[in-house]
């Protein structure tokens, strides 16, 4: 094993404009915000995004004009409503969208994780989703029963960006004992070609070895790992801290003003040199610790 530790600027500088990128997390948990902010700072655009249930990460990239194509199951703000910047960009024709059901999207990532070019499914038969993505969804005939299935193309990406919990310097990423599990981060990791992971804490390798069954992403899959406390802020990292409701509402309020998103990106991301500068806008770690939850890791 070799150390995979690096910095946010170094890791993100490996991603060229126009790349196909999978973003992990689910709803308001573990959106890879530190990596997304660095994508915006480095003006990486023309992205083809594949996401699960995405919220702020995709909406912020849409506001920055960084997305050309999106594939996923949901883009919104959960209990806070729609994703306003993403919706506007779609309505204006700036973002091409391809919708999938959850089971169909799982099949696409599972195919990539298995090294297959596709997996068969009946999930989208009779829906309009098939016609919306003819290059990724094709009818096939079962050689055993003669039934019609849909071949779902493997979700092949150039980079996968995840925010995790803890890892060692080699990139062995572990779950906490108590966690939510409605994401497909583990499957995304297995399907990845080049995987970049931010984590709340880097721990000694001996600690990883103490509870090996908690390792859900092994070092063999990871290209780069970055210790990034509050790396999902203002979304939550389950078992570590809750979402910052005030910060989320501030973003959504800014989206209602003509120049609001651009001003927010300028003040909170482009005008801050690094992640520490961003967190200082919210009172740094001292103030953010108010969102911490008791945990067992």
């Amino acid at each position: 094993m070799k150390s995979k530790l690096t910095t946010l600027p170094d890791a993100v500088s490996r991603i060229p404009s126009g790349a196909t990128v999978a973003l992990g997390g689910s709803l308001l948990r573990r959106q890879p915000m530190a990596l997304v902010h660095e994508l915006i700072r480095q003006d990486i655009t023309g992205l083809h995004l594949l996401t699960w249930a995405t919220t702020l990460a995709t909406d912020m990239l849409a506001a920055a004009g960084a997305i050309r194509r999106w594939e996923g199951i949901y883009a919104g703000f959960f209990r806070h409503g729609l994703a306003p910047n993403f919706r506007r960009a779609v309505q204006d024709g700036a973002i091409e969208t391809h919708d999938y059901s959850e089971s169909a999207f799982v099949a696409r990532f599972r195919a990539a994780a298995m090294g297959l070019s596709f997996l068969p499914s009946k999930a989208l038969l009779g829906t309009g989703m098939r016609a919306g993505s003819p290059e990724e969804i094709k009818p096939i005939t079962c050689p055993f029963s003669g039934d019609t299935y849909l071949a779902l193309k493997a979700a092949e990406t150039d980079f996968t960006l995840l925010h995790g919990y803890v890892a060692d310097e080699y990139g062995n990423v572990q779950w906490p004992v108590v966690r939510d599990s409605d994401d497909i981060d583990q499957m995304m990791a297995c399907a990845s070609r080049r995987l970049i992971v931010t984590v709340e804490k880097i721990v000694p390798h001996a600690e990883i070895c103490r509870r090996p069954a908690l390792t859900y992403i092994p070092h063999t899959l990871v290209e780069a790992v970055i210790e990034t406390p509050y790396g999902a802020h203002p979304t939550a990292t389950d078992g570590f801290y809750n979402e910052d409701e005030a910060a989320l509402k501030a973003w959504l309020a800014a989206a209602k003003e003509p120049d609001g998103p651009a001003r927010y990106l300028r003040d909170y991301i482009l005008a801050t040199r690094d992640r520490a500068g961003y967190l200082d806008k919210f009172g740094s770690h001292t103030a953010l610790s108010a969102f911490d939850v008791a945990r067992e890791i």
Side-chain angles (χ1 to χ4, degrees):
M1 293 188 293
K2 65 178 182 179
S3 179
K4 309 286 181 66
L5 285 175
T6 187
T7 63
L8 284 168
D10 174 70
V12 171
S13 69
R14 308 175 192 191
I15 305 172
S17 289
T20 300
V21 176
L23 297 181
S26 180
L27 297 173
L28 297 177
R29 292 188 306 282
R30 278 174 293 99
Q31 296 286 299
M33 297 311 304
L35 289 163
V36 165
H37 289 175
E38 192 59 33
L39 285 169
I40 294 170
R41 283 193 192 93
Q42 296 192 25
D43 194 27
I44 297 170
T45 60
L47 296 174
H48 175 179
L49 289 188
L50 282 74
T51 72
W52 188 237
T54 187
T55 53
L56 182 61
T58 296
D59 199 53
M60 198 165 271
L61 287 169
I67 308 171
R68 63 175 174 83
R69 175 181 171 126
W70 173 84
E71 300 177 31
I73 67 165
Y74 170 84
F77 271 83
F78 193 33
R79 60 183 174 272
H80 296 287
L82 300 173
N85 298 287
F86 177 79
R87 182 181 184 181
R88 273 195 294 267
V90 172
Q91 289 175 326
D92 293 343
I95 298 176
E96 176 187 343
T97 60
H98 295 260
D99 297 303
Y100 290 86
S101 70
E102 292 185 16
S103 59
F105 216 48
V106 164
R108 294 193 61 201
F109 276 99
R110 183 170 286 148
M114 296 170 66
L116 301 175
S117 59
F118 75 94
L119 275 180
S121 172
K122 289 187 175 183
L124 302 184
L125 287 171
T127 74
M129 293 179 181
R130 169 184 168 183
S133 302
E135 296 304 311
E136 289 76 35
I137 307 171
K138 296 184 182 296
I140 58 173
T141 301
C142 174
F144 302 103
S145 67
D147 291 345
T148 297
Y149 290 85
L150 294 177
L152 302 176
K153 185 179 180 181
E156 297 177 344
T157 60
D158 301 315
F159 291 87
T160 298
L161 309 182
L162 304 177
H163 183 65
Y165 307 93
V166 299
D168 60 18
E169 65 174 302
Y170 308 115
N172 294 295
V173 186
Q174 288 196 332
W175 275 314
V177 172
V178 178
R179 64 188 184 275
D180 286 319
S181 59
D182 63 342
D183 60 75
I184 59 167
D185 283 13
Q186 185 179 39
M187 192 179 300
M188 283 183 166
C190 292
S192 63
R193 289 176 174 169
R194 302 180 66 178
L195 176 60
I196 297 172
V197 184
T198 54
V199 292
E200 291 295 319
K201 186 178 180 181
I202 296 294
V203 299
H205 179 62
E207 186 170 327
I208 298 295
C209 293
R210 188 164 59 88
R211 292 188 286 191
L214 294 180
T215 301
Y216 69 106
I217 300 175
H219 68 97
T220 50
L221 298 177
V222 178
E223 176 175 320
V225 62
I226 310 102
E227 184 176 54
T228 315
Y230 299 101
H233 180 272
T235 67
T237 292
D238 42 296
F240 280 73
Y241 50 87
N242 293 320
E243 58 266 27
D244 185 340
E245 291 277 347
L248 289 168
K249 289 177 179 178
W251 170 257
L252 291 171
K256 296 178 180 179
E257 304 171 17
D259 65 341
R263 185 177 66 251
Y264 190 102
L265 294 178
R266 181 182 66 246
D267 293 346
Y268 286 89
I269 300 176
L270 300 176
T272 57
R273 185 174 58 183
D274 53 23
R275 189 64 180 173
Y278 164 82
L279 294 178
D280 284 343
K281 293 279 189 178
F282 299 90
S284 195
H285 293 189
T286 301
L288 292 175
S289 65
F291 301 106
D292 289 358
V293 297
R295 65 182 184 268
E296 181 180 358
I297 61 172

